Amino acid sequence: MSKIDTLTITGFKSIKELQDFKLKRLNVIVGANGAGKSNLISFFKMLRSLINGQLNDYVINNGGMSDLLFNGEKITPKMSFCTSFGSRGFRFSLVPTPADSCIIEDEARYYSDSRTGWWELGNSHDGQSKMVAEVNQELPDARYSKPVYDEIASWMIYHFHDTSASASMRKYEIVEDDDTLRTDASNIGPFLLKLKSSHIKAYKDIVNVIRLVTPFFDDFILKPRSFGVKEKVNISWQQKDSDYPMQPYHFSDGSIRFICLATALLQPDPPSTIIIDEPELGLHPAAIEILAELIQQASERTQVIIATQSPSLIDQFAIEDIIVVNRKKGASTFERLNETDFSEWLESYSVGELWTKNVIAGGPQYE
């Protein structure tokens, strides 16, 4: 699988125009509240919804097309997207319907082989992707669409914000649900059980890094239990110097969120692109430093995109890793920083301090 090389987004939420924006293996997106960081993450969520056949569910759950178009339908009649990854690419446009849902226009996939170039897939009248239909129905052109589909399907957007008592990451899940770590870590028990059985080094790495952040943690128990005909497992665990089995609800919000982050970033066969919004939430400053190391290590094996506004987290990265989002005339702008522009400042201040002092311009914009 290939990393995302370039990204074009026009007319989507606060992103009026982002043309052929280059992404590297490590991309740390920073910006003030409302600048548009989360809207970039939302683009990836929308694209995954399209691939999963749930595009209109995404549109409805986000207020309808009128709320997704930049400044509304009168200003922006449609939104368009294009991604390139290695020798492949995918582009499409979305236009609103009278029912405030959408249809797909100008859909095309790029595949470098005997049919190198952009290949139009026709227009959709039901909000469903023609490329996805080719793959799912095994039509003749599926052999060209499937590699593009597989690339996009291999991206994973992790969202570990819900750590409440009823959060799925704290519950039992069937042991068979262990193929990939789900976006909300609802299957973290089965996934860790598989790693313990088949990828012991990765499992030990995860346990060891959790011990750095949670010193009283010894190990997971991961003992399946019978629920009728089903076998389920959760992340029960042991404290050091105790044989009393602790339950997931004994983890603090920050601890269980860090467990999910460590598992996602240290998994042995990571997605081709990992996307995480505000991974620092609820973490102690010492845990944020370790998290940054995990992010950097993960970027050596796969592509990582994170959105943050934590100076402590930003402090751990090179300035070329930073993409600053600002709001100008109501539209989000994206700029990757260059070390030469800040060389004198970096002699006296860290990257996080430059962000805090607004030398790296990413504070609130008053228009």
Side-chain angles (χ1 to χ4, degrees):
M1 296 295 177
S2 305
K3 71 178 183 69
I4 304 167
D5 295 316
T6 62
L7 185 61
T8 292
I9 302 174
T10 59
F12 177 66
K13 293 191 173 184
S14 67
I15 306 175
K16 181 180 181 181
E17 188 172 23
L18 181 65
Q19 286 288 343
D20 294 325
F21 191 78
K22 293 182 180 179
L23 295 174
K24 303 195 306 183
R25 295 190 69 86
L26 178 55
N27 308 273
V28 182
I29 303 166
V30 303
N33 290 330
K37 303 185 308 297
S38 294
N39 289 342
L40 183 63
I41 304 298
S42 290
F43 158 74
F44 292 107
K45 292 179 180 178
M46 183 191 67
L47 190 54
R48 283 302 302 265
S49 296
L50 184 151
I51 290 296
N52 294 335
Q54 299 172 333
L55 175 60
N56 270 320
D57 289 341
Y58 172 89
V59 171
I60 292 168
N61 292 334
N62 283 271
M65 276 291 285
S66 55
D67 280 4
L68 293 177
L69 291 161
F70 176 77
N71 284 350
E73 188 176 348
K74 289 184 178 179
I75 302 297
T76 306
K78 69 177 181 179
M79 46 191 176
S80 301
F81 312 89
C82 182
T83 58
S84 66
F85 29 91
S87 61
R88 301 183 178 99
F90 183 50
R91 75 183 188 209
F92 64 100
S93 298
L94 297 181
V95 296
T97 68
D100 208 21
S101 61
C102 68
I103 59 173
I104 302 173
E105 275 191 349
D106 306 322
E107 187 182 11
R109 46 120 173 96
Y110 183 93
Y111 183 66
S112 179
D113 196 9
S114 58
R115 298 181 65 186
T116 295
W118 284 101
W119 290 86
E120 299 289 341
L121 291 160
N123 293 337
S124 168
H125 299 289
D126 56 2
Q128 298 298 312
S129 167
K130 294 294 185 181
M131 183 181 73
V132 174
E134 281 186 1
V135 174
N136 291 341
Q137 298 175 30
E138 297 184 353
L139 298 174
D141 268 356
R143 64 187 182 276
Y144 300 106
S145 285
K146 192 173 189 307
V148 178
Y149 172 97
D150 288 345
E151 287 277 4
I152 299 171
S154 70
W155 306 343
M156 184 60 73
I157 306 102
Y158 290 116
H159 194 276
F160 305 136
H161 290 22
D162 182 10
T163 55
S164 65
S166 60
S168 53
M169 63 182 66
R170 297 185 187 266
K171 297 180 179 180
Y172 279 92
E173 186 53 88
I174 56 172
V175 295
E176 293 85 0
D177 188 6
D178 63 358
D179 186 31
T180 59
L181 181 66
R182 293 191 179 277
T183 184
D184 59 354
S186 58
N187 66 333
I188 190 168
F191 189 74
L192 284 170
L193 179 60
K194 181 186 75 171
L195 296 187
K196 188 174 184 179
S197 301
S198 306
H199 301 275
I200 189 62
K201 182 184 182 304
Y203 177 80
K204 288 182 177 179
D205 288 344
I206 292 168
V207 169
N208 287 336
V209 79
I210 292 169
R211 289 171 180 163
L212 293 176
V213 171
T214 313
F216 52 82
F217 172 83
D218 184 36
D219 201 352
F220 295 107
I221 297 175
L222 303 175
K223 184 177 180 181
R225 289 182 53 186
S226 296
F227 289 77
V229 297
K230 298 178 180 178
E231 291 280 304
K232 295 186 177 184
V233 66
N234 70 354
I235 49 172
S236 300
W237 56 287
Q238 286 183 316
Q239 293 189 91
K240 288 184 177 179
D241 304 319
S242 173
D243 59 0
Y244 183 78
M246 306 293 285
Q247 295 301 307
Y249 55 77
H250 289 121
F251 282 124
S252 69
D253 289 356
S255 294
I256 197 166
R257 183 177 291 117
F258 184 83
I259 289 168
C260 296
L261 288 165
T263 303
L265 293 167
L266 288 171
Q267 59 186 301
D269 299 307
S272 61
T273 297
I274 290 176
I275 303 154
I276 311 176
D277 191 10
E278 297 186 330
E280 75 279 2
L281 289 179
L283 299 186
H284 186 274
I288 290 178
E289 290 187 18
I290 296 172
L291 171 64
E293 291 183 22
L294 295 180
I295 291 170
Q296 290 169 335
Q297 291 173 13
S299 70
E300 295 174 1
R301 301 184 297 130
T302 188
Q303 185 176 46
V304 181
I305 301 170
I306 65 168
T308 181
Q309 39 186 353
S310 165
S312 298
L313 186 57
I314 298 166
D315 241 348
Q316 311 304 313
F317 300 106
I319 201 160
E320 294 95 339
D321 299 328
I322 309 296
I323 297 170
V324 177
V325 186
N326 280 300
R327 198 78 170 245
K328 297 179 181 178
K329 296 182 179 180
S332 298
T333 63
F334 296 78
E335 179 186 6
R336 184 179 293 279
L337 299 184
N338 190 321
E339 184 176 4
T340 57
D341 296 333
F342 300 91
S343 56
E344 293 186 10
W345 285 99
L346 290 169
E347 292 176 3
S348 304
Y349 300 99
S350 69
V351 177
E353 287 173 330
L354 295 183
W355 164 254
T356 302
K357 295 176 182 296
N358 208 37
V359 175
I360 296 175
Q365 301 290 311
Y366 303 98
E367 300 179 356

